[in-house]
Short mmCIF file of all heavy atoms in Angstrom, two decimals:
data_model
loop_
_atom_site.label_atom_id
_atom_site.label_comp_id
_atom_site.label_asym_id
_atom_site.label_seq_id
_atom_site.Cartn_x
_atom_site.Cartn_y
_atom_site.Cartn_z
N ARG Z 309 -47.24 10.24 -2.71
CA ARG Z 309 -46.34 9.18 -2.27
C ARG Z 309 -46.55 7.89 -3.09
O ARG Z 309 -47.66 7.59 -3.49
CB ARG Z 309 -46.55 8.88 -0.78
CG ARG Z 309 -46.21 10.05 0.12
CD ARG Z 309 -46.44 9.73 1.59
NE ARG Z 309 -46.17 10.88 2.43
CZ ARG Z 309 -44.97 11.19 2.90
NH1 ARG Z 309 -43.93 10.41 2.62
NH2 ARG Z 309 -44.79 12.27 3.66
N PHE Z 310 -45.46 7.21 -3.32
CA PHE Z 310 -45.52 5.86 -3.87
C PHE Z 310 -44.31 5.10 -3.33
O PHE Z 310 -43.55 5.63 -2.51
CB PHE Z 310 -45.56 5.87 -5.41
CG PHE Z 310 -44.30 6.34 -6.07
CD1 PHE Z 310 -43.41 5.44 -6.64
CD2 PHE Z 310 -44.00 7.70 -6.16
CE1 PHE Z 310 -42.25 5.86 -7.27
CE2 PHE Z 310 -42.85 8.14 -6.80
CZ PHE Z 310 -41.97 7.21 -7.34
N GLU Z 311 -44.12 3.88 -3.77
CA GLU Z 311 -43.07 3.03 -3.22
C GLU Z 311 -42.33 2.31 -4.33
O GLU Z 311 -42.93 1.89 -5.32
CB GLU Z 311 -43.69 2.01 -2.25
CG GLU Z 311 -42.67 1.32 -1.36
CD GLU Z 311 -43.35 0.48 -0.29
OE1 GLU Z 311 -43.74 1.04 0.76
OE2 GLU Z 311 -43.52 -0.74 -0.54
N VAL Z 312 -41.03 2.20 -4.18
CA VAL Z 312 -40.24 1.39 -5.10
C VAL Z 312 -39.75 0.15 -4.37
O VAL Z 312 -39.53 0.17 -3.16
CB VAL Z 312 -39.03 2.18 -5.66
CG1 VAL Z 312 -39.49 3.21 -6.68
CG2 VAL Z 312 -38.22 2.84 -4.56
N ARG Z 313 -39.61 -0.93 -5.15
CA ARG Z 313 -39.17 -2.20 -4.60
C ARG Z 313 -37.81 -2.57 -5.20
O ARG Z 313 -37.50 -2.16 -6.33
CB ARG Z 313 -40.17 -3.31 -4.93
CG ARG Z 313 -41.58 -3.06 -4.45
CD ARG Z 313 -42.50 -4.15 -4.98
NE ARG Z 313 -43.91 -3.89 -4.68
CZ ARG Z 313 -44.91 -4.59 -5.18
NH1 ARG Z 313 -44.66 -5.61 -6.01
NH2 ARG Z 313 -46.16 -4.29 -4.88
N PRO Z 314 -37.02 -3.36 -4.48
CA PRO Z 314 -35.76 -3.82 -5.07
C PRO Z 314 -36.01 -4.51 -6.41
O PRO Z 314 -36.90 -5.36 -6.53
CB PRO Z 314 -35.23 -4.80 -4.02
CG PRO Z 314 -35.79 -4.29 -2.73
CD PRO Z 314 -37.16 -3.77 -3.08
N GLY Z 315 -35.25 -4.11 -7.42
CA GLY Z 315 -35.44 -4.65 -8.77
C GLY Z 315 -36.20 -3.72 -9.68
O GLY Z 315 -36.21 -3.92 -10.90
N ASP Z 316 -36.87 -2.70 -9.13
CA ASP Z 316 -37.60 -1.74 -9.97
C ASP Z 316 -36.63 -0.89 -10.77
O ASP Z 316 -35.55 -0.52 -10.29
CB ASP Z 316 -38.46 -0.81 -9.11
CG ASP Z 316 -39.75 -1.47 -8.64
OD1 ASP Z 316 -40.00 -2.63 -9.04
OD2 ASP Z 316 -40.49 -0.83 -7.87
N ARG Z 317 -37.02 -0.55 -11.98
CA ARG Z 317 -36.31 0.42 -12.80
C ARG Z 317 -37.27 1.55 -13.14
O ARG Z 317 -38.37 1.31 -13.64
CB ARG Z 317 -35.76 -0.22 -14.08
CG ARG Z 317 -35.27 0.77 -15.12
CD ARG Z 317 -34.44 0.10 -16.22
NE ARG Z 317 -33.12 -0.23 -15.72
CZ ARG Z 317 -32.16 -0.80 -16.47
NH1 ARG Z 317 -32.40 -1.09 -17.74
NH2 ARG Z 317 -30.98 -1.07 -15.96
N LEU Z 318 -36.86 2.78 -12.86
CA LEU Z 318 -37.65 3.97 -13.19
C LEU Z 318 -37.00 4.70 -14.35
O LEU Z 318 -35.77 4.83 -14.41
CB LEU Z 318 -37.75 4.90 -11.98
CG LEU Z 318 -38.37 4.34 -10.71
CD1 LEU Z 318 -38.38 5.40 -9.62
CD2 LEU Z 318 -39.78 3.82 -10.96
N LEU Z 319 -37.82 5.19 -15.26
CA LEU Z 319 -37.35 5.97 -16.39
C LEU Z 319 -38.13 7.28 -16.43
O LEU Z 319 -39.36 7.27 -16.42
CB LEU Z 319 -37.54 5.22 -17.70
CG LEU Z 319 -36.87 5.89 -18.91
CD1 LEU Z 319 -35.48 5.31 -19.10
CD2 LEU Z 319 -37.69 5.71 -20.17
N ILE Z 320 -37.41 8.40 -16.45
CA ILE Z 320 -38.03 9.72 -16.52
C ILE Z 320 -37.65 10.34 -17.86
O ILE Z 320 -36.47 10.33 -18.25
CB ILE Z 320 -37.57 10.62 -15.37
CG1 ILE Z 320 -37.90 9.97 -14.03
CG2 ILE Z 320 -38.22 12.00 -15.46
CD1 ILE Z 320 -37.31 10.70 -12.83
N GLY Z 321 -38.63 10.87 -18.57
CA GLY Z 321 -38.39 11.50 -19.86
C GLY Z 321 -39.04 12.86 -19.95
O GLY Z 321 -40.11 13.09 -19.39
N SER Z 322 -38.38 13.77 -20.65
CA SER Z 322 -38.95 15.10 -20.88
C SER Z 322 -39.90 15.05 -22.07
O SER Z 322 -39.98 14.05 -22.79
CB SER Z 322 -37.83 16.11 -21.14
OG SER Z 322 -37.17 15.82 -22.37
N ASP Z 323 -40.61 16.14 -22.30
CA ASP Z 323 -41.55 16.16 -23.42
C ASP Z 323 -40.84 16.07 -24.76
O ASP Z 323 -41.44 15.71 -25.77
CB ASP Z 323 -42.46 17.39 -23.36
CG ASP Z 323 -41.68 18.70 -23.36
OD1 ASP Z 323 -40.43 18.66 -23.38
OD2 ASP Z 323 -42.32 19.77 -23.34
N GLY Z 324 -39.54 16.39 -24.79
CA GLY Z 324 -38.77 16.21 -26.01
C GLY Z 324 -38.59 14.75 -26.38
O GLY Z 324 -38.16 14.44 -27.49
N VAL Z 325 -38.93 13.84 -25.46
CA VAL Z 325 -38.88 12.41 -25.73
C VAL Z 325 -40.26 11.90 -26.16
O VAL Z 325 -40.47 11.46 -27.28
CB VAL Z 325 -38.38 11.62 -24.50
CG1 VAL Z 325 -38.44 10.12 -24.76
CG2 VAL Z 325 -36.96 12.04 -24.14
N TYR Z 326 -41.23 11.98 -25.25
CA TYR Z 326 -42.52 11.33 -25.53
C TYR Z 326 -43.38 12.11 -26.53
O TYR Z 326 -44.32 11.57 -27.10
CB TYR Z 326 -43.30 11.05 -24.25
CG TYR Z 326 -43.61 12.27 -23.39
CD1 TYR Z 326 -44.66 13.12 -23.68
CD2 TYR Z 326 -42.85 12.53 -22.25
CE1 TYR Z 326 -44.93 14.22 -22.90
CE2 TYR Z 326 -43.13 13.62 -21.45
CZ TYR Z 326 -44.17 14.47 -21.77
OH TYR Z 326 -44.44 15.56 -20.98
N ASP Z 327 -43.06 13.40 -26.76
CA ASP Z 327 -43.81 14.17 -27.75
C ASP Z 327 -43.13 14.22 -29.12
O ASP Z 327 -43.63 14.86 -30.04
CB ASP Z 327 -44.04 15.60 -27.26
CG ASP Z 327 -45.28 15.71 -26.39
OD1 ASP Z 327 -46.07 14.75 -26.37
OD2 ASP Z 327 -45.47 16.75 -25.73
N THR Z 328 -41.99 13.57 -29.25
CA THR Z 328 -41.29 13.54 -30.53
C THR Z 328 -42.15 12.85 -31.59
O THR Z 328 -42.81 11.85 -31.32
CB THR Z 328 -39.95 12.80 -30.39
OG1 THR Z 328 -39.06 13.60 -29.63
CG2 THR Z 328 -39.31 12.54 -31.76
N THR Z 329 -42.13 13.38 -32.79
CA THR Z 329 -42.94 12.82 -33.88
C THR Z 329 -42.05 12.15 -34.92
O THR Z 329 -40.90 12.54 -35.13
CB THR Z 329 -43.79 13.90 -34.56
OG1 THR Z 329 -42.92 14.95 -35.02
CG2 THR Z 329 -44.81 14.47 -33.60
N SER Z 330 -42.62 11.14 -35.57
CA SER Z 330 -41.93 10.47 -36.66
C SER Z 330 -42.11 11.26 -37.95
O SER Z 330 -42.79 12.29 -37.98
CB SER Z 330 -42.49 9.06 -36.84
OG SER Z 330 -43.84 9.14 -37.29
N ALA Z 331 -41.49 10.77 -39.03
CA ALA Z 331 -41.67 11.43 -40.32
C ALA Z 331 -43.13 11.42 -40.76
O ALA Z 331 -43.57 12.28 -41.52
CB ALA Z 331 -40.79 10.74 -41.37
#
Side-chain angles (χ1 to χ4, degrees):
R309 296 179 183 273
F310 69 103
E311 195 171 277
V312 287
R313 302 174 187 171
D316 282 356
R317 168 167 285 182
L318 301 179
L319 189 93
I320 302 172
S322 66
D323 58 358
V325 175
Y326 59 80
D327 274 348
T328 289
T329 56
S330 67

